[in-house]
Amino acid sequence: MQLPKIKNGLSIGIMGGTFDPIHLGHLVIAEEVRIQFKLDKVIFVPTGHPPHKPAAGVTNPEHRYLMTVLATMNNPYFTVSRVEIDCLKGTTYTIDTIRFFKEYFGGDVNLYFITGADAIMEITSWKDYKELVSICHFIAATRPGYTLKKVKDTIRKKCPEVLEQISVLEIPAMQISSTLIRERVRAGKPIKYLTPDSVTAYIYKNGLYRDVSHKV
Ligand code: ATP
Ligand code: MG
């Protein structure tokens, strides 16, 4: 059964990610979901220590946080939270973040977790995923290589009971990833138009993705 929507309650999107760095793919999906689901706000939540990525390979959270602030500052509906960086100790799990926001906003809130298709297909490996989908609606954006059909078929096969709690949204194809940007910077290739200019400037100014000293 689909999560009942609380009438007159705020509708808040939570966009989790490593954002190492944030790029136009993230911004496009957040804005598209905001409009289609009539969200009042989208909160970007850079991960502290993501369970799916080796800690040693991730850039210092302060850099990732600041790049996320720079990238979102022109959109009045976007904001950035430090909850996973400051408050949640150790490895950060989405269930803890969602519980935090549930408590923070109180009862009258409809929470939507925004994610990419690649991530949602691994949902059964997420901590307490059944509880997660019972307190928060999931919106998965398609990504090159992950069609709407592929996502739905995979979830139907792995965990049919959560299928109804997940909306899959077709997004204009964006073959951009943080991995691609890191590789291009390392190779001395341009990253213009893949991420906002402010983020590009921040990356060059701080020597990110060239120098391993910025890793945690
Ligand atoms: P990396 O290459 O380091 O894994 P990424 O580009 O996948 O980085 P993440 O910070 O891992 O970025 O992603 C945060 C969320 O945004 C994930 O749920 C991911 O699926 C989604 N996402 C990232 N890029 C895109 C894109 N181009 N189209 C759709 N979803 C995306
Ligand atoms: Mg990723």
Side-chain angles (χ1 to χ4, degrees), residues 87-132:
C87 311
L88 305 172
K89 298 266 180 286
T91 303
T92 45
Y93 295 100
T94 304
I95 183 77
D96 301 321
T97 307
I98 295 299
R99 282 186 193 133
F100 170 85
F101 282 114
K102 265 255 170 258
E103 203 175 312
Y104 180 82
F105 286 110
D108 291 344
V109 68
N110 299 294
L111 286 183
Y112 295 82
F113 190 79
I114 307 168
T115 180
D118 55 320
I120 202 74
M121 282 169 52
E122 302 302 321
I123 184 130
T124 51
S125 69
W126 295 24
K127 189 178 165 217
D128 299 337
Y129 74 93
K130 284 186 187 165
E131 183 190 342
L132 196 53

Side-chain angles (χ1 to χ4, degrees), residues 31-49:
E31 183 66 354
E32 189 64 24
V33 170
R34 180 186 75 75
I35 292 166
Q36 290 209 23
F37 286 78
K38 299 186 174 63
L39 303 183
D40 297 294
K41 198 191 264 281
V42 176
I43 306 176
F44 286 70
V45 186
T47 48
H49 299 284

Side-chain angles (χ1 to χ4, degrees), residues 15-19 23 25-26 29 53 115-116 118-119 142-143 174 176-179 182:
M15 170 89 199
T18 314
F19 304 133
H23 54 70
H26 298 128
I29 70 173
K53 296 193 179 175
T115 180
D118 55 320
T142 56
R143 203 176 175 170
M174 277 262 176
I176 306 177
S177 68
S178 304
T179 303
R182 294 193 299 272

Side-chain angles (χ1 to χ4, degrees), residues 131-151:
E131 183 190 342
L132 196 53
V133 297
S134 73
I135 56 173
C136 158
H137 191 83
F138 270 66
I139 306 167
T142 56
R143 203 176 175 170
Y146 300 86
T147 59
L148 208 140
K149 184 176 180 322
K150 185 171 168 181
V151 176

